[in-house]
Amino acid sequence: MKLQTTVAALFAITNSASAFAPATFVTRTSSALNVAIDTSDIKNGLTVEIDGDPHKVLDFSIMKQARGAAKMTIKFKNLTRGNTIENTYRSGEKFETAEVTKSPAQFTYEDESGNYYFMDMESFEEISVSAKVVEDRKKWIGEGSEVTLVTFKEQVIEVAVPKTLVVTVVETEPNVKGNTSQGHTKPAKLSCGATISVPGFISEGETIRVDSEKEVYLDRSV
């Protein structure tokens, strides 16, 4: 009888201890597991799974027909292989979203092989990303740049750069005194490595805001 009482007491203590254990919070964001969607849900930037690979929607257009259902042409980028495809679908056709995880990271350095290294800002682990994945976004990634690493099945498939960036003009031709033409622009090299066109009144050393997706000047940074 005493043995049964002791066991019961220990069981109660164990349950009580687990009830007061600290909760674990995960700040990473992930898409829902293979959510079923159709053509009406398609938008630029959405990642769906096709034949086992993650495909990002780059662009789409809707073709209305006099008879029958409308059709949608979608341009995808295969984030695993790097190639682009363009397919046409009937209105209402189904897709499945790709289960991806997004985590904030900071660029640290590039090695001799062109691989990029980032520090996960949650776990502080070092993550290596191949040059193929970084590709056309590398000109927007400078020392200390903060990005988002997109992971699919434990593999980084995309390095997402913020749409709006604040950068410094490190090289551009001086503005010609007396030049008042409204449309005058000139090339400018930015601190991140990219080169874009800026208004003629912008000087070296100025801080500006740019749209990294459209690769255009927005305004001076306040």
Side-chain angles (χ1 to χ4, degrees):
M1 190 68 179
K2 287 184 178 180
L3 178 60
Q4 291 179 343
T5 302
T6 302
V7 171
L10 288 172
F11 182 78
I13 292 172
T14 302
N15 282 349
S16 176
S18 62
F20 288 98
T24 301
F25 297 95
V26 178
T27 56
R28 295 172 185 266
T29 60
S30 61
S31 65
L33 176 61
N34 299 113
V35 175
I37 61 172
D38 62 32
T39 51
S40 65
D41 300 305
I42 292 296
K43 59 183 178 180
N44 289 344
L46 179 69
T47 304
V48 299
E49 188 171 339
I50 301 175
D51 298 328
D53 284 339
H55 287 69
K56 182 178 181 178
V57 177
L58 299 179
D59 196 14
F60 67 93
S61 60
I62 300 173
M63 298 176 291
K64 294 183 178 180
Q65 303 182 99
R67 295 182 180 180
K71 292 185 178 180
M72 177 180 283
T73 299
I74 308 174
K75 184 177 182 180
F76 295 102
K77 179 180 180 180
N78 186 318
L79 295 178
T80 299
R81 304 176 186 228
N83 62 302
T84 59
I85 61 172
E86 189 170 287
N87 293 332
T88 300
Y89 302 89
R90 296 186 304 273
S91 178
E93 280 201 57
K94 303 292 184 182
F95 301 88
E96 285 190 342
T97 58
E99 186 187 9
V100 297
T101 300
K102 299 180 179 181
S103 55
Q106 186 176 52
F107 173 62
T108 52
Y109 70 97
E110 177 185 6
D111 67 16
E112 295 179 352
S113 300
N115 297 313
Y116 272 52
Y117 290 82
F118 298 86
M119 180 185 70
D120 187 303
M121 296 177 70
E122 295 171 354
S123 66
F124 302 106
E125 295 178 356
E126 185 179 74
I127 300 172
S128 173
V129 180
S130 69
K132 180 182 176 181
V133 174
V134 180
E135 50 175 12
D136 60 333
R137 306 307 286 165
K138 66 186 298 182
K139 61 186 174 184
W140 297 106
I141 303 173
E143 184 178 354
S145 292
E146 294 184 2
V147 301
T148 298
L149 300 182
V150 183
T151 305
F152 177 75
K153 295 181 179 178
E154 300 184 356
Q155 178 183 355
V156 176
I157 58 172
E158 183 181 12
V159 177
V161 176
K163 177 177 172 59
T164 302
L165 293 174
V166 177
V167 293
T168 302
V169 176
V170 296
E171 185 180 324
T172 190
E173 62 186 46
N175 188 24
V176 178
K177 189 174 182 179
N179 187 347
T180 58
S181 58
Q182 295 293 324
H184 175 62
T185 61
K186 58 185 180 180
K189 185 176 181 180
L190 310 177
S191 53
C192 58
T195 298
I196 64 169
S197 293
V198 298
F201 57 78
I202 295 296
S203 303
E204 286 186 12
E206 285 199 67
T207 303
I208 62 174
R209 294 195 316 135
V210 298
D211 184 321
S212 67
E213 293 181 3
K214 297 179 180 180
E215 302 189 2
V216 296
Y217 165 88
L218 294 177
D219 53 33
R220 279 173 164 153
S221 177
V222 179

